[in-house]
């Protein structure tokens, strides 16, 4: 397997966590987003969307982090990253989507570049934008975790939801978001970070990490 990813991409980090939880080996292919390597023809030939992450597994080419993780869960079922029951699977997917769809798109690199380069927002206004959507989005996640507290986002073992939650907290810290208003979120985050699958795939430990 090959994973095309960027160390600071939170979507890429999600997939690295899932691969580590399943104990799967892969070749790390760095695509530096800030240097616009995703737009080079060599990568465009692999990724029609010119986004990361992208997983190549033999003849299978899978894009979008959540689709990649579900692909891994179907092709390598142990340990499972989705619950066995339909209601549990729906809850885990909903938690993951609350982050991946409601929070992350508003603070990813493409959006922030547009705010600065096209709409001419000052850096502080850009950062205020990111903080607003991250902080309010995490409040929604907090309410769900507080309603059904468990060791991880859902149950006693990490799931797809945890793979998505942890990278978003790193983003929150990058933008100096307040996090004291989401104690359940932070408790789950700290629990995850004690596991090698989350700690060893941290952006700062990636081959392409920069100071």
């Amino acid at each position: 397997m090959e994973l095309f990813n960027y160390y600071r991409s939170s979507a890429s980090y999600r997939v690295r966590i899932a691969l580590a939880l399943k104990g799967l080996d892969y070749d790390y292919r760095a695509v530096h987003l800030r240097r616009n390597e995703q737009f080079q023809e060599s990568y465009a030939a692999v990724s029609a969307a010119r986004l990361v992450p992208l997983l190549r597994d033999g003849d299978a080419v899978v894009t979008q982090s959540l689709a990649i993780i579900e692909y891994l869960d179907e092709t390598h079922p142990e340990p499972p990253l989705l619950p066995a029951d339909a209601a549990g699977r729906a809850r885990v997917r909903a938690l993951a989507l609350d982050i991946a769809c409601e929070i992350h798109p508003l603070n990813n690199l493409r959006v922030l570049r547009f705010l600065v380069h096209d709409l001419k927002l000052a850096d502080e206004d850009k950062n205020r934008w990111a903080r607003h959507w991250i902080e309010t989005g995490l409040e929604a996640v907090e309410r769900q975790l507080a309603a059904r507290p468990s060791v991880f986002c859902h149950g006693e073992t990490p799931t797809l939801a945890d793979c998505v939650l942890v990278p978003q907290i790193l983003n929150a810290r990058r933008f100096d978001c307040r996090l004291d208003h989401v104690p359940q979120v932070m408790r789950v985050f700290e629990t995850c970070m004690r596991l090698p699958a989350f700690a060893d795939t941290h952006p700062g430990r990636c081959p392409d990490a920069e100071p």
Side-chain angles (χ1 to χ4, degrees):
M1 283 192 289
E2 297 172 279
L3 179 66
F4 294 81
N5 75 138
Y6 175 49
Y7 80 101
R8 280 185 67 177
S9 158
S10 57
S12 297
Y13 186 15
R14 298 168 191 164
V15 177
R16 294 196 303 269
I17 293 167
L19 286 161
L21 285 169
K22 290 184 175 291
L24 297 173
D25 293 327
Y26 60 95
D27 292 326
Y28 188 108
R29 307 295 188 207
V31 180
H32 199 297
L33 300 187
R34 289 191 176 273
R35 296 177 191 155
N36 295 319
E37 290 180 359
Q38 69 274 29
F39 299 122
Q40 294 177 1
E41 288 306 314
S42 58
Y43 188 62
V46 180
S47 171
R50 302 186 182 190
L51 299 173
V52 295
L54 178 146
L55 182 78
R56 186 155 59 190
D57 182 19
D59 293 333
V61 175
V62 191
T63 59
Q64 291 293 343
S65 60
L66 271 63
I68 295 171
I69 294 171
E70 292 219 26
Y71 169 82
L72 293 171
D73 215 36
E74 292 176 11
T75 55
H76 302 273
E78 296 298 328
L81 297 179
L82 287 166
D85 63 298
R89 289 195 300 275
R91 181 171 186 265
V92 166
R93 287 180 175 124
L95 284 166
L97 291 168
D98 276 333
I99 299 168
C101 295
E102 304 295 340
I103 304 175
H104 175 247
L106 295 168
N107 63 260
N108 72 15
L109 182 59
R110 291 185 300 162
V111 169
L112 298 181
R113 277 179 167 174
F114 184 81
L115 291 175
V116 172
H117 297 156
D118 294 76
L119 299 186
K120 309 302 181 185
L121 263 66
D123 273 349
E124 179 48 39
D125 290 329
K126 174 203 71 176
N127 292 337
R128 188 156 56 94
W129 160 282
R131 284 194 296 271
H132 171 78
W133 295 114
I134 295 171
E135 291 174 1
T136 57
L138 287 176
E139 286 175 3
V141 178
E142 173 71 14
R143 289 192 292 271
Q144 295 180 70
L145 297 185
R148 290 179 58 182
S150 56
V151 176
F152 293 95
C153 283
H154 183 90
E156 308 298 307
T157 58
T159 65
L160 168 67
D162 301 281
C163 294
V164 178
L165 175 68
V166 164
Q168 188 59 57
I169 299 305
L170 266 62
N171 278 346
R173 286 177 167 171
R174 230 173 71 228
F175 287 105
D176 295 322
C177 294
R178 68 185 186 95
L179 294 167
D180 57 344
H181 67 312
V182 288
Q184 292 295 327
V185 166
M186 295 309 297
R187 178 189 58 75
V188 171
F189 171 78
E190 297 295 344
T191 299
C192 288
M193 292 308 296
R194 288 195 285 270
L195 298 180
F198 291 84
D200 293 348
T201 56
H202 184 282
R205 303 187 70 172
C206 289
D208 55 332
E210 298 170 318

